[in-house]
Amino acid sequence: MPFNVLVLSCVAYVILLFLVAFMVERRAAVGALPWLRSPIVYTLSLSIYCTAWTFYGAVGYAARSGLEYVTIYLGPTLVFIGWWWVLRKLVRIGRQQRVTSIADLISSRYGKSNLLGVIVTLIAVLAATPYIALQLQSVTLSFNVFASATPAG
């Protein structure tokens, strides 16, 4: 595939994603998308995350470290056992305190401290960085496969 066509396709795809997100955001703001709060949306989002992580992360980790990769799945499995009770409490507190993020929630529990909110936000960004890097790596690897002059194999 010619490089220019590949770049144009990627840019068009990103523009399409942003347009879809923009349209959904506007319709959700006026209440025109009741299915947006459906468990199906959450399930599909989680499946996208798990697919990307499994394909680009867990398989490589398992190849490098053997059975140690089981710890990747053990943590989320343990969290799912008690998540319903924790989630219900978080939602209740979030509604009472009128907070919309984890940083706001923790900050509100300790006197609405702005410094604490900033620290929690920085920790969340640092914790999410490996996942963002994983997504960028998957895009780069996929781009290289399509852009290579010789077929991969």
Side-chain angles (χ1 to χ4, degrees):
M1 179 179 286
F3 185 76
N4 292 341
V5 173
L6 184 59
V7 170
L8 184 63
S9 300
C10 291
V11 170
Y13 181 66
V14 169
I15 289 171
L16 176 69
L17 289 177
F18 276 99
L19 284 174
V20 168
F22 178 74
M23 290 172 56
V24 168
E25 187 74 26
R26 288 192 62 173
R27 291 194 62 198
V30 297
L33 296 173
W35 57 268
L36 197 58
R37 296 176 193 256
S38 164
I40 294 171
V41 173
Y42 176 75
T43 303
L44 290 174
S45 301
L46 189 59
S47 67
I48 296 292
Y49 161 77
C50 290
T51 302
W53 174 248
T54 300
F55 186 75
Y56 289 103
V59 173
Y61 188 70
R64 285 189 307 274
S65 62
L67 282 179
E68 252 181 68
Y69 81 95
V70 172
T71 58
I72 292 173
Y73 299 106
L74 186 60
T77 302
L78 292 175
V79 167
F80 282 137
I81 291 170
W83 183 247
W84 178 249
W85 293 281
V86 173
L87 183 62
R88 285 178 43 197
K89 187 171 184 174
L90 283 175
V91 168
R92 183 177 49 79
I93 293 170
R95 286 183 180 155
Q96 286 174 350
Q97 299 288 327
R98 295 190 178 280
V99 296
T100 57
S101 71
I102 295 295
D104 288 341
L105 177 70
I106 293 173
S107 172
S108 72
R109 299 300 280 177
Y110 295 98
K112 299 264 185 197
S113 168
N114 287 336
L115 178 62
L116 183 59
V118 169
I119 291 170
V120 171
T121 301
L122 289 174
I123 290 170
V125 168
L126 288 174
T129 300
Y131 298 105
I132 295 169
L134 184 64
Q135 293 299 318
L136 292 174
Q137 180 185 16
S138 69
V139 169
T140 303
L141 290 172
S142 300
F143 190 87
N144 286 338
V145 166
F146 284 108
S148 66
T150 59

